[in-house]
């Protein structure tokens, strides 16, 4: 249950937040040219009860249309999703994208009839009899599962059209729905894709056919949503990763395993360098730990019992079982256990870019977003109970500095509190939750409380970032843990010379580097800011005669730490096209006039032609932007 819903927190400059009075001319322009809707303007089903009802009702209308058009089609489940809906069907005739216009046309016919949605509550016996009468075997399974969960659960049916009337349709459903089909704009729906799905999500069960659709309040919102999706497709990190030669994932070597090519590796190196620099500045110490350990470690941590489905099989090493690590935490605990600490030594802040391995089914993997081997920007803080709040504030400061450097200035904060089943005393839970709230209040960040949504071993803060398209991504997590210190018998010596358990704080800011790189590629559409770009400057020679000057400029740039390439032996038009295709931030055309005057003819990927500038001035501007991690200002 969600309580205390707060506003969305923002990192914003004074300039960005300052109130401005529009001129009369600006108001006229605003009236003539309404701004394009963004994803934030399009409410999700969770944000709007009206749209939830519309989308759920569209799923039923689609199922009704499919069963009318395709004889023998059986309905399984059809829920609403963020901006739309889907329905899974068991049917012999294969569905393709070419089937969708016909189904949509039938849906629009149903909508225009303004048929009522009628709720009917029936007994289990009556529901079973009706389902058996129409031969819907999947509905019987759904009914049985409802009764198994709760024998006294109400069984409800929703009809489209008056019950019993010719042409009416019904489905086993808990609702909610619109009053009648006329409440839906027939021009604000679309059917977008067809996919395969397993019944109950189990690959051992029958394969079904799924149709995805979306629905909005009006056609303008639908059009905006499709434009956003088209732009998202252009930014797909899998395609851009191939075009820009950043990384590859090949089944020939192993699914879900990422190979970083030189350009992608340079971006990752730059990101890691920044990450280490900022952590050292904030008082963290760096760790390196192995990729495997004896399976006993994972039994002690509890991962072997509770996380085994996501772990790879054990390997035999000299008659002992070893395990690829799915988590870094037990390794950091092992280092703590190897020491002896008093209250004076705490807090300890240990950080690691640690590679972990988790089993994912082949059908669930998705580019860099879901892989089998990935590197987490993991850190653990071991502290005293009264140090929780200041340590959390320090983590939130670090999150703000890191994310804002990459250009993420909008985010959502969620605080998850104690669930019904948990470990740890009431006192420590109360103190921990109060400390998290105190830290968020100190930062002045709005947040939503997910009451009872915490892990059994501690409360947590989750932060979602919003990208250039307005999409939200789960990114940073700050998690308190009262479980591992107990399992591993961790302790520190108090002022009274007693042993007490330290508080353990898990935190990841970027999540996994692979996933965060995927987010960055799509956020920037492959056009990385100069400080992060694998090649920052491309020097383009008009003729071979100027190559000595080109190499001299490149040498000086490299001495300043600039990543530069030299290009010759081709037409200047082709060289510029190749550089723009590679999305290189700065391109410098060099002919005889530039070589004689010690200048560069500058153009940028973002702004095109800039003009001729002294070579030293260009070098200084690029070096400064790279050092400050800011945009280049020409």
């Amino acid at each position: 249950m969600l309580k205390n819903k707060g506003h969305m927190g923002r990192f914003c400059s004074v300039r960005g937040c300052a109130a401005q009075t529009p001129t009369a001319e600006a108001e006229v322009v605003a009236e003539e040219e309404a701004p394009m809707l963004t994803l934030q303007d399009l409410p999700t089903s969770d944000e709007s009860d009206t749209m939830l009802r519309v989308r759920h009702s569209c799923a039923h209308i689609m199922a009704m249309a499919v069963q009318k058009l395709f004889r023998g089609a059986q309905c399984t489940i059809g829920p609403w999703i963020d901006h739309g809906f889907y329905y899974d069907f068991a049917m012999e005739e294969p569905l393709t994208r070419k089937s969708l216009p016909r189904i949509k046309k039938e849906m629009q016919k149903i909508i225009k009839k303004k048929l009522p949605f009628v709720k009917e509550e029936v007994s289990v016996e009556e529901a079973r009899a009706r389902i058996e009468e129409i031969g819907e075997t999947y509905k019987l399974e759904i009914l049985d599962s409802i009764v198994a969960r709760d024998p006294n659960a109400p069984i409800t049916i929703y009809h489209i059209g008056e019950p019993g009337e010719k042409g009416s349709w019904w489905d086993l459903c808990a609702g909610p729905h619109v009053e009648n089909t006329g409440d839906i704009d027939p021009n604000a729906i679309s059917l977008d894709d067809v996919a395969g799905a397993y019944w109950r999500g189990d690959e051992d069960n029958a394969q079904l056919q799924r149709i995805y659709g979306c629905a909005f309040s009006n056609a303008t919102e639908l059009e905006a949503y499709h434009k956003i999706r088209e732009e998202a497709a252009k930014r797909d990190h899998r395609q851009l990763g191939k075009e820009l030669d950043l990384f590859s994932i090949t089944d020939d070597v192993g699914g879900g395993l990422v190979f970083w090519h030189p350009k992608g590796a340079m971006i990752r190196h730059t990101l890691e360098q920044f990450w280490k620099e900022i952590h050292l500045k904030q008082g963290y110490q760096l760790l390196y730990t192995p990729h495997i350990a004896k399976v006993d470690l994972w039994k002690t941590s509890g991962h072997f019992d509770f996380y085994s489905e996501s772990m790879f099989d054990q390997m035999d090493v000299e008659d002992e079982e070893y395990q690829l690590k799915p988590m870094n935490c037990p390794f950091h605990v092992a280092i703590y256990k190897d020491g002896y600490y008093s209250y004076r030594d705490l807090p300890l802040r240990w950080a690691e870019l640690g590679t972990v391995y988790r089993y994912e089914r082949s059908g669930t993997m998705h580019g860099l977003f879901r892989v089998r081997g990935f590197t987490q920007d993991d850190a653990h803080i071991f502290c005293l109970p009264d140090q929780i709040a200041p340590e959390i504030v320090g983590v939130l400061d670090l999150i703000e500095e890191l994310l804002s450097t990459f250009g993420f200035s909008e985010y959502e904060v969620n605080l998850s509190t104690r669930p019904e089943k948990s470990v740890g005393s009431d006192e420590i839970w109360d103190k921990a939750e109060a400390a998290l709230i105190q830290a968020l209040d100190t930062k002045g960040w709005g947040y939503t409380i997910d009451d009872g949504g915490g892990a059994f071993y501690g409360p947590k803060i989750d932060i979602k970032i919003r990208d250039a398209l307005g999409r939200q991504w789960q990114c940073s997590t700050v998690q308190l843990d009262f479980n591992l210190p107990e399992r591993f018998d961790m302790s520190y010596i108090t002022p009274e010379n007693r042993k007490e358990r330290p508080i353990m704080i898990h935190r990841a800011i970027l999540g996994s580097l692979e996933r965060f790189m995927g987010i960055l590629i799509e956020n920037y559409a492959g056009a990385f800011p100069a400080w992060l770009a694998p090649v920052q400057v491309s020097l383009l020679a008009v003729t071979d005669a100027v190559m000595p000057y080109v190499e001299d400029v490149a040498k000086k740039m490299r001495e300043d730490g600039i990543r530069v390439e030299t290009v010759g032996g081709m037409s200047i038009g082709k060289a510029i096209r190749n550089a723009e295709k590679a999305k290189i931030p700065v391109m410098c055309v060099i002919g005889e006039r530039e070589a004689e005057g010690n200048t560069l003819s500058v153009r940028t990927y973002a702004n095109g032609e800039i003009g001729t500038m002294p070579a030293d001035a260009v070098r200084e501007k690029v070096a400064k932007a790279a050092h400050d991690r800011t945009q280049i200002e020409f």
Side-chain angles (χ1 to χ4, degrees):
M1 180 174 103
L2 290 179
K3 290 184 178 179
N4 189 29
K5 188 166 178 62
H7 63 274
M8 175 173 285
R10 292 175 184 270
F11 304 136
C12 60
S13 65
V14 174
R15 178 184 175 191
C17 293
Q20 298 180 8
T21 304
T23 63
E25 181 182 350
E27 288 178 352
V28 171
V29 171
E31 287 179 8
E32 292 176 352
E33 296 181 16
M36 183 66 188
L37 294 174
T38 66
L39 202 58
Q40 296 98 304
D41 300 316
L42 306 175
T44 65
S45 300
D46 287 341
E47 295 167 341
S48 168
D49 182 67
T50 298
M51 291 315 304
L52 182 152
R53 290 170 181 271
V54 165
R55 289 162 182 152
H56 192 194
S57 300
C58 282
H60 278 228
I61 293 168
M62 179 174 70
M64 180 179 181
V66 167
Q67 288 199 314
K68 185 173 181 179
L69 296 172
F70 299 91
R71 195 174 185 85
Q74 286 196 44
C75 298
T76 64
I77 58 169
W80 66 84
I81 50 180
D82 276 356
H83 291 103
F85 54 92
Y86 70 81
Y87 218 114
D88 290 344
F89 300 98
M91 51 192 294
E92 291 185 7
E93 185 172 342
L95 292 169
T96 68
R97 292 179 68 89
K98 291 181 180 179
S99 311
L100 301 183
R102 183 180 169 207
I103 298 169
K104 179 184 172 182
K105 186 176 180 180
E106 187 62 34
M107 287 177 68
Q108 289 173 323
K109 287 181 183 177
I110 296 167
I111 290 170
K112 290 174 182 177
K113 289 179 181 178
K114 298 184 178 180
L115 299 172
F117 273 84
V118 181
K119 180 180 179 180
E120 180 187 10
E121 187 167 335
V122 298
S123 67
V124 173
E125 293 74 19
E126 175 64 19
R128 188 179 304 281
R130 292 191 194 182
I131 294 169
E132 288 175 347
E133 184 180 352
I134 60 174
E136 294 264 10
T137 55
Y138 292 93
K139 277 190 175 60
L140 276 179
E141 277 197 47
I142 294 171
L143 178 64
D144 289 339
S145 67
I146 293 171
V147 175
R149 283 197 307 269
D150 181 2
N152 299 314
I155 306 299
T156 54
I157 284 172
Y158 271 86
H159 301 262
I160 300 179
E162 292 295 340
E165 282 191 357
K166 185 178 179 181
S168 65
W169 181 90
W170 64 269
D171 197 5
L172 194 65
C173 179
H177 290 283
V178 297
E179 290 295 321
N180 70 75
T181 60
D183 292 337
I184 300 168
D185 184 342
N187 298 313
I189 64 170
S190 66
L191 299 184
D192 304 319
D193 206 358
V194 176
Y198 291 106
W199 171 236
R200 300 290 197 188
D202 187 337
E203 58 192 16
D204 292 330
N205 289 338
Q207 187 163 24
L208 309 172
Q209 299 188 71
R210 177 175 295 178
I211 301 177
Y212 285 101
C214 60
F216 292 92
S217 298
N218 53 63
T220 301
E221 290 184 353
L222 179 66
E223 181 185 6
Y225 181 71
H226 280 299
K227 284 184 178 179
I228 292 168
R229 288 190 60 177
E230 288 169 10
E231 179 60 28
K234 294 176 187 175
R235 293 169 178 251
D236 190 315
H237 73 279
R238 295 166 298 179
Q239 184 61 33
L240 286 173
K242 186 177 182 67
E243 292 174 4
L244 300 175
D245 195 23
L246 302 180
F247 69 91
S248 60
I249 301 173
T250 171
D251 287 337
D252 291 342
V253 180
L257 303 175
V258 183
F259 289 78
W260 294 104
H261 298 196
K263 289 181 179 178
M266 179 54 71
I267 297 170
R268 175 167 168 164
H269 166 73
T270 306
L271 190 158
E272 290 182 358
Q273 197 172 40
F274 171 46
W275 186 91
K276 291 177 181 178
E277 174 190 313
I278 198 172
H279 277 76
L280 292 172
K281 188 176 73 174
Q282 293 290 337
Y284 283 78
Q285 296 173 299
L286 301 181
L287 302 180
Y288 291 94
T289 59
H291 290 227
I292 63 172
K294 289 182 179 179
V295 76
D296 292 346
L297 181 72
W298 310 107
K299 290 180 178 178
T300 302
S301 71
H303 289 96
F304 189 81
D305 293 325
F306 301 112
Y307 204 72
S308 59
E309 289 185 0
S310 296
M311 295 166 65
F312 282 99
D313 288 341
Q314 294 73 50
M315 61 187 82
D316 182 81
V317 180
E318 296 181 345
D319 296 326
E320 290 188 290
E321 285 190 322
Y322 279 70
Q323 175 74 56
L324 277 171
K325 66 173 175 179
M327 303 276 189
N328 294 307
C329 346
F331 285 63
H332 293 196
V333 172
I335 293 175
Y336 185 97
K337 290 280 290 179
D338 195 51
Y340 182 84
Y341 303 100
S342 86
Y343 69 96
R344 293 188 182 89
D345 299 312
L346 305 183
L348 295 171
R349 305 183 192 104
W350 291 344
E352 177 184 17
L353 293 170
T355 301
V356 298
Y357 304 89
R358 297 180 189 173
Y359 172 69
E360 298 283 357
R361 290 182 300 173
S362 58
T364 63
M365 293 184 291
H366 180 80
L368 296 175
F369 291 155
R370 196 158 183 177
V371 292
R372 286 174 173 157
F374 55 93
T375 301
Q376 288 186 308
D377 72 317
D378 241 339
H380 295 92
I381 299 170
F382 303 99
C383 66
L384 307 175
D386 61 3
Q387 293 173 334
I388 296 173
E391 286 303 311
I392 297 298
V393 170
V395 172
L396 298 182
D397 286 341
L398 195 57
I399 289 171
E400 181 174 3
E401 187 172 356
L402 261 169
L403 296 182
S404 61
T405 301
F406 292 103
F408 296 112
S409 58
E410 295 187 25
Y411 59 100
E412 183 177 290
V413 181
N414 292 288
L415 170 62
S416 301
T417 60
R418 187 177 191 174
E420 287 187 17
K421 295 182 179 179
S422 61
V423 298
S425 67
D426 292 346
E427 180 185 1
I428 194 62
W429 270 92
D430 291 344
K431 196 163 191 173
E433 289 176 359
L436 294 184
I437 291 171
Q438 180 185 338
L440 290 169
D441 289 343
T442 298
K443 291 294 293 179
W445 290 0
Y447 56 90
T448 297
I449 293 182
D450 181 3
D451 194 25
F456 75 92
Y457 50 83
K460 65 173 180 173
I461 295 171
D462 287 313
I463 295 177
K464 295 177 182 177
I465 58 175
R466 194 180 292 278
D467 70 8
L469 293 181
R471 299 173 299 181
Q472 282 191 330
W473 301 92
Q474 171 59 47
C475 197
S476 308
T477 298
V478 187
Q479 169 80 63
L480 270 71
D481 188 345
F482 313 133
N483 183 47
L484 286 187
E486 190 71 33
R487 280 180 168 270
F488 282 95
D489 192 26
M490 299 171 67
S491 64
Y492 67 92
I493 304 301
T494 70
E496 296 77 26
N497 206 34
R498 295 197 312 267
K499 285 187 176 183
E500 295 284 353
R501 299 271 182 251
I503 298 296
M504 183 176 183
I505 303 173
H506 305 256
R507 49 114 292 206
I509 297 176
L510 308 180
S512 86
L513 295 192
E514 285 73 10
R515 184 170 178 273
F516 192 71
M517 282 281 285
I519 294 170
L520 288 181
I521 293 168
E522 297 196 3
N523 182 65
Y524 298 135
F528 290 91
W531 74 271
L532 202 52
V535 177
Q536 295 166 321
V537 179
S538 184
L539 302 177
L540 313 176
V542 175
T543 66
D544 290 344
V546 300
M547 282 305 295
Y549 173 68
V550 170
E551 293 296 345
D552 183 59
V553 172
K555 180 174 180 291
K556 291 177 180 177
M557 285 189 170
R558 291 190 183 104
E559 288 172 353
D560 283 348
I562 297 170
R563 298 186 287 276
V564 59
E565 69 173 15
T566 60
V567 178
M570 67 177 68
S571 72
I572 198 63
K574 183 177 181 182
I576 291 172
R577 285 194 300 275
N578 287 347
E580 289 185 336
K581 187 176 179 182
K583 303 181 189 287
I584 296 172
V586 180
M587 295 153 265
C588 301
V589 177
I590 302 172
E592 291 182 5
R593 184 173 59 184
E594 286 78 18
E596 290 171 2
N598 197 29
T599 61
L600 301 172
S601 180
V602 180
R603 62 186 295 124
T604 66
Y605 180 80
N607 300 311
E609 194 72 39
I610 300 297
T612 301
M613 298 177 62
D616 288 346
V618 174
R619 191 174 78 246
E620 289 171 7
K621 286 180 179 293
V622 175
K624 185 178 187 306
H627 177 270
D628 297 343
R629 300 185 179 94
T630 57
Q631 296 292 339
I632 302 173
E633 296 183 4
F634 284 110

